[in-house]
Structure formats: C-alpha cells, structure tokens
Amino acid sequence: MAMTPDAPAVLRVGMVDDHPSPVWGIERILDRQPDMDLVCSASTVSGLLEQGIQTDIVILDLRLDDGTTPGQNVTRLTEAGIGTVVYTSGEHPSLLRSAARAGTLGVVLKSASEDEIVAAVRSAGSGYEVLTTEWAAAIDADPELEAVDLSPQLQRVLTLYASGETSAGVGAALGVTAETVNEYLKRIRQKYAAAGRPTRTKLDLFKRAVEDGWLPVPGWGPAADRQSRRDGPGRSDE
C-alpha cells in the first residue's frame, strides 16, 4: 500500500525514556542495522527537542516522570515533524489510547523481539502505522471513540480506497465513476470530521478503517469478527 515516500537511506532515530537501560538496549539493537542510527536520546520530549538534532522517528516511553501525558508528548513531536512509536510494557491501555488519539504511528512492546522492534521502527520511519494487537485492543476498548455510521456502499469505498486503490480503481470495482467515488470519499470524510475523527490523508482513512473494524489488524483476526464485538449503531442504507 504505497501511500507515503520511502524512509531516508539512514533512519535517524531518537529516544525519550527517563531510564538509561532501555536506551542502551535500543542503541545496541540499532547499532546492528546499517539503515538506522540512534542520533539522540533524552529523559523528556523537551530535552530531546532542545538538542536540535534532526530526527525522523522517536521511540517514546509511554510513562515519563515529568508530568507529561502520552498525548501531549506525541502531539509535540508530531508538530515538530517527527513521527513516534510508543515503547511500552503494555499494561496501561488508557495511556495507549491517549497516544493513539494524538496520532502516534504505533506501539511496540518492551518484551518484543529485536526483529519486531526493528521492523516497527523501520515501518514507522517510512510513514506507515505499526498495527499491533496491543494497539488494536486499546483502540477497540476506547470509550471516547465515537462510532461512525457508514452505509454498505460507503464501507466498500472506504475499505478499497484505504487499502491502496485509486479512485478510478475503486470505481471500476464498484461499477461507478471516479467522480462518484470522490463524492463518496467526501461524504466519508465529513462523517468522520463530525465525529471528531478527522481524515486529512489517505493514511488517516486507513487508520479509521482499522479502528472501526472495516479493515483487519495483522494478528487480530478478520475485520468482520472484530466489528461484531463493537456496540455501535446499526448501519444505514444510503
């Protein structure tokens, strides 16, 4: 699903963690990767940004002792043009949801294997979301995630387009024109905007489709199975 440009030749990674041992561990892992370099670390997001070192992606500890929230930290880094991957032991789903709502690219567990950590950082560095069962579970249980009511036709448009199809490709699959598909997409974006869940980019649409069960999360099971567990309203025909 080619929705973003490739990562730079050498991915410049930063890390925010107020304990040194996780930083040492990540440094050891990334030292073995010719396309990654841990260029800076700090105990707070402010401390990292104050260094002024160009960074493509930041591995962010979910819980910091400076009184900041995951949402605040993800937002600050995003506004600085830096993507984030939350690094966590996974026992605080409410904090995961805060980071997810702020736009983190994903979650990797501290218990994950070296290969899983490298894959997550590399994927996020390319602009792709790191879709894990832990993140899916946190989002699925989010009481503030307002369900969006989409008709079957809008669901089909969303799943096809968010999966990487062009408007013309979606139109060909559904037997409508590309202009009609664009009108459908406009309606979908309006519905999500009204629910306080904006979809400014194609990647946003993909995220919403995963959040609402229209597309599956790797390792989580079919989207239909997940959707059956949601308590949202019935789908209207429009």
Side-chain angles (χ1 to χ4, degrees), residues 13-17 26 30 38 57-61 83-87 108 117 121:
V13 181
M15 186 165 182
V16 176
D17 198 304
I26 291 295
L30 297 189
L38 185 66
I57 198 80
V58 164
I59 301 171
L60 176 66
D61 187 21
T84 59
V85 172
V86 167
Y87 193 48
V108 63
I117 292 170
V121 174

Side-chain angles (χ1 to χ4, degrees), residues 211-236:
E211 289 172 349
D212 285 348
W214 311 128
L215 286 175
V217 175
W220 179 257
D225 291 345
R226 182 169 175 233
Q227 180 59 31
S228 69
R229 291 191 287 269
R230 295 184 67 90
D231 294 323
R235 303 297 160 191
S236 62

Side-chain angles (χ1 to χ4, degrees), residues 102-236:
T104 188
L105 288 167
V107 174
V108 63
L109 292 181
K110 292 183 178 180
S111 60
S113 68
E114 290 189 12
D115 287 344
E116 289 171 330
I117 292 170
V118 168
V121 174
R122 185 174 287 128
S123 180
S126 296
Y128 295 102
E129 294 187 334
V130 184
L131 301 173
T132 62
T133 55
E134 291 77 23
W135 193 17
I139 290 172
D140 199 55
D142 190 346
E144 297 181 22
L145 195 66
E146 182 179 342
V148 170
D149 186 17
L150 297 181
S151 69
Q153 182 75 334
L154 293 185
Q155 292 173 29
R156 288 189 287 269
V157 169
L158 175 58
T159 55
L160 288 170
Y161 187 75
S163 296
E165 283 286 359
T166 62
S167 295
V170 175
L174 300 181
V176 298
T177 66
E179 289 75 16
T180 297
V181 171
N182 288 333
E183 284 300 315
Y184 285 150
L185 290 171
K186 181 179 179 181
R187 193 180 308 172
I188 290 168
R189 293 181 191 277
Q190 289 172 339
K191 284 177 174 286
Y192 276 107
R197 301 165 63 194
T199 53
R200 300 180 182 89
T201 67
K202 196 168 188 176
L203 190 59
D204 288 336
L205 285 170
F206 179 69
K207 181 177 179 180
R208 302 297 173 251
V210 170
E211 289 172 349
D212 285 348
W214 311 128
L215 286 175
V217 175
W220 179 257
D225 291 345
R226 182 169 175 233
Q227 180 59 31
S228 69
R229 291 191 287 269
R230 295 184 67 90
D231 294 323
R235 303 297 160 191
S236 62

Side-chain angles (χ1 to χ4, degrees), residues 62 69-72 74-75 93-104 142:
L62 190 64
T69 67
Q72 290 170 338
V74 170
T75 297
S94 63
L95 296 182
L96 283 179
R97 290 195 290 269
S98 172
R101 286 194 296 270
T104 188
D142 190 346

